Amino acid sequence: MKELEIYVHIPFCVKKCDYCDFLSFPANEKTQREYKNALIQEIRHYGSIMKEREVTSIFFGGGTPSWLDCDYLVQILEAIKESFTIRKGAEITMEANPGTVTERAMKKYFQAGINRLSIGLQSTNDDELKLLGRIHTYDQFLKIYTMARECGFTNINVDLMSGLPYQTIDKFLKSLNEVIRLKPEHVSSYSLIIEKGTPFYERYRFDDVKQHAGMETEYLPSEDDTYRMYKLTQSYLKEAGYMQYETSNFAKKGLECKHNVGYWTRKDYLGVGLGASSLINNIRYSNITSIYDYVMGAMNIQLLEMPEEEKLEAQKQKLQSIYSNLHESVHSLSVKEQIEEFMFLGLRMNAGVSRDEFQENFGVPIESTYGSVMDKLKKEGLLKVQAGRVFLTDKGSDLANYCMAQFM
Ligand code: SF4
């Protein structure tokens, strides 16, 4: 059976963090209930037209999935299980925010089959959490981390952030060391990005420009300090037994996030929910972003009402693509776009891309498309070809934007 990953977007948050530009917002109980019903409808719709697929991973992201009523979350997971064939042992991740999880909910998640938890900590310093506009303290994080362990979770990711306003290297290292002491199976460490439209953009945009120009900054750490934080993250986590497998992701052996590796290796994935995107048979889809339209649209999905024979016929005709009235955009990738995606997503990973997979996917050896680019980057010490794989060197990863641009 052809593999499929499923992403479920829960767009609700208790309050917006000051740096966040994700599709998320607060919502009352009624909106959450209607959204859950709409999601289940969308899931059933795809389940009915994607019978030939086997689901290898499920990811509940957001937003704050742990803020949704835990019974709703379990109902959504049950709908996926009823509608799709799920591979035994599939990775099922849920993002959780400290301050939003009760013990009852944690137990329910585990009993329902969620086997990986991704907890958004960001910092162990309460003053930094406050500055970020997070709703929790470090103590609250510790409570849900311990609770998760006690409930049986053996695969936990902790999210950290570096390059925060007023952050010194020592302060960042304090956070990093405290996280390492807790021994999570996985750590994601991201550098702060100042996104347009956020309160942080209003506060720090000039500093951000100065930082990128290598000038003296007022609030944000200097460019040199953010680089040092990144390099120290790599060395401290390596020392603690974590393997870096992507620019911002580190895991104990064999515990990389399979779902995200799927994205970077261009496995097919189906995104359900508000604004969710999908990649199916080299067609990229994006769902609409208005919650009102989404809920109305999901409730009116036509295919569900079709008689069985028509459904089968529709499946046959649409085997190469998925359709619903919830899509805002549908883009069929040209071969050139597929090749470029293969390279820039694959080269984010430390293992890089496989020469055999390139040949399998595109029918030509990688050198026939990128021979001269690869030679150039090899000469500059930025790229290596070893054991059938093409990957960036440490120096190449530091200059990733430059390297990627060569493949476009
Ligand atoms: S909890 Fe996450 S998704 Fe929600 S506002 Fe904060 S950063 Fe954004």
Side-chain angles (χ1 to χ4, degrees):
M1 280 172 110
K2 206 168 171 196
E3 295 183 348
L4 180 73
E5 301 195 324
I6 294 183
Y7 172 80
V8 184
H9 191 66
I10 308 291
F12 309 126
C13 288
V14 177
K15 82 172 253 305
K16 202 80 184 150
C17 299
D18 289 4
Y19 58 94
C20 175
D21 78 331
F22 297 152
L23 181 58
S24 66
F25 41 83
N28 59 23
E29 210 283 322
K30 178 173 172 280
T31 307
Q32 298 202 14
R33 184 172 12 93
E34 286 174 356
Y35 184 74
K36 176 263 299 181
N37 290 337
L39 259 180
I40 290 177
Q41 192 81 339
E42 190 188 7
I43 288 163
R44 290 196 177 132
H45 161 66
Y46 288 125
S48 73
I49 59 170
M50 299 179 90
K51 294 275 179 225
E52 80 291 359
R53 299 281 184 151
E54 183 182 38
V55 175
T56 54
S57 68
I58 303 169
F59 195 106
F60 289 90
T64 307
S66 56
W67 191 43
L68 190 74
D69 185 314
C70 63
D71 292 319
Y72 290 173
L73 200 112
V74 171
Q75 285 172 33
I76 298 165
L77 181 54
E78 288 307 317
I80 297 175
K81 288 182 182 172
E82 281 162 21
S83 310
F84 290 88
T85 306
I86 314 287
R87 181 174 292 175
K88 201 164 173 274
E91 178 187 88
I92 307 180
T93 303
M94 189 188 99
E95 290 180 341
N97 209 358
T100 60
V101 190
T102 61
E103 199 176 336
R104 173 180 168 268
M106 191 67 89
K107 281 183 182 154
K108 282 217 157 189
Y109 299 145
F110 190 71
Q111 281 159 7
I114 290 167
N115 51 27
R116 184 173 183 272
L117 218 55
S118 177
I119 310 179
L121 167 63
Q122 320 311 349
S123 167
T124 65
N125 302 308
D126 284 345
D127 58 336
E128 289 178 343
L129 292 173
K130 200 163 168 203
L131 185 108
L132 289 168
R134 305 282 302 176
I135 56 162
H136 58 88
T137 60
Y138 179 44
D139 258 1
Q140 283 173 305
F141 163 82
L142 285 175
K143 270 192 198 112
I144 81 153
Y145 186 84
T146 311
M147 200 196 279
R149 289 297 194 209
E150 284 169 2
C151 285
F153 283 96
T154 54
N155 193 358
I156 300 181
N157 166 60
V158 176
D159 280 344
L160 261 186
M161 281 174 89
S162 62
L164 308 182
Y166 307 104
Q167 192 174 47
T168 59
I169 291 178
D170 283 350
K171 215 164 172 187
F172 172 67
L173 286 180
K174 179 175 165 279
S175 281
L176 183 61
N177 279 322
E178 279 171 347
V179 167
I180 288 172
R181 258 200 301 280
L182 292 169
K183 300 190 172 70
E185 285 68 32
H186 190 287
V187 178
S188 297
S189 182
Y190 300 98
S191 285
L192 172 71
I193 297 175
I194 305 291
E195 302 282 5
K196 229 177 172 171
T198 63
F200 265 31
Y201 185 75
E202 297 310 315
R203 278 176 230 160
Y204 307 118
R205 68 183 142 158
F206 295 118
D207 230 29
D208 190 40
V209 173
K210 286 191 211 162
Q211 189 195 58
H212 285 102
M215 291 161 68
E216 199 174 319
T217 49
E218 217 172 320
Y219 312 104
L220 297 172
S222 66
E223 195 185 32
D224 280 356
D225 279 0
T226 47
Y227 176 71
R228 278 189 65 200
M229 286 181 205
Y230 181 61
K231 292 317 258 184
L232 287 165
T233 306
Q234 289 180 315
S235 59
Y236 275 53
L237 286 172
K238 186 175 180 192
E239 179 73 29
Y242 294 86
M243 213 186 59
Q244 181 173 17
Y245 66 100
E246 192 264 351
T247 319
S248 311
N249 286 286
F250 304 80
K252 293 278 167 138
K253 202 169 185 298
L255 291 165
E256 300 85 11
C257 175
K258 294 186 180 71
H259 188 84
N260 285 344
V261 171
Y263 282 144
W264 301 318
T265 49
R266 300 188 74 252
K267 257 176 136 176
D268 276 3
Y269 64 88
L270 172 70
V272 290
L274 196 67
S277 47
S278 308
L279 172 69
I280 307 285
N281 294 327
N282 286 312
I283 304 176
R284 288 206 174 269
Y285 305 82
S286 291
N287 271 1
I288 47 182
T289 53
S290 143
I291 185 139
Y292 176 79
D293 292 345
Y294 173 79
V295 170
M296 292 298 286
M299 289 313 178
N300 287 318
I301 290 178
Q302 293 305 310
L303 212 57
L304 285 174
E305 278 80 51
M306 277 185 182
E308 215 41 47
E309 326 73 73
E310 274 181 46
K311 230 190 263 181
L312 279 175
E313 193 47 38
Q315 268 185 51
K316 262 188 244 153
Q317 284 174 15
K318 295 174 181 169
L319 211 57
Q320 289 306 307
S321 49
I322 53 169
Y323 286 99
S324 94
N325 48 350
L326 300 176
H327 292 140
E328 186 172 79
S329 72
V330 178
H331 175 67
S332 186
L333 298 167
S334 66
V335 175
K336 182 173 179 286
E337 286 170 323
Q338 292 170 38
I339 291 178
E340 287 177 355
E341 277 192 0
F342 182 90
M343 296 308 291
F344 77 71
L345 291 173
L347 288 176
R348 285 172 62 152
M349 293 186 299
N350 288 33
V353 300
S354 146
R355 293 176 71 240
D356 287 351
E357 273 172 34
F358 188 99
Q359 170 105 36
E360 257 167 53
N361 281 316
F362 307 113
V364 289
I366 192 166
E367 285 79 5
S368 73
T369 313
Y370 289 122
S372 57
V373 170
M374 284 164 57
D375 286 344
K376 177 177 179 289
L377 292 177
K378 272 198 276 182
K379 274 194 204 120
E380 291 169 339
L382 303 174
L383 184 116
K384 261 190 176 173
V385 182
Q386 213 170 55
R389 300 198 73 90
V390 180
F391 56 92
L392 298 182
T393 59
D394 284 352
K395 191 175 158 202
S397 300
D398 286 345
L399 297 170
N401 288 345
Y402 164 77
C403 296
M404 302 299 189
Q406 313 302 307
F407 290 96
M408 298 300 122

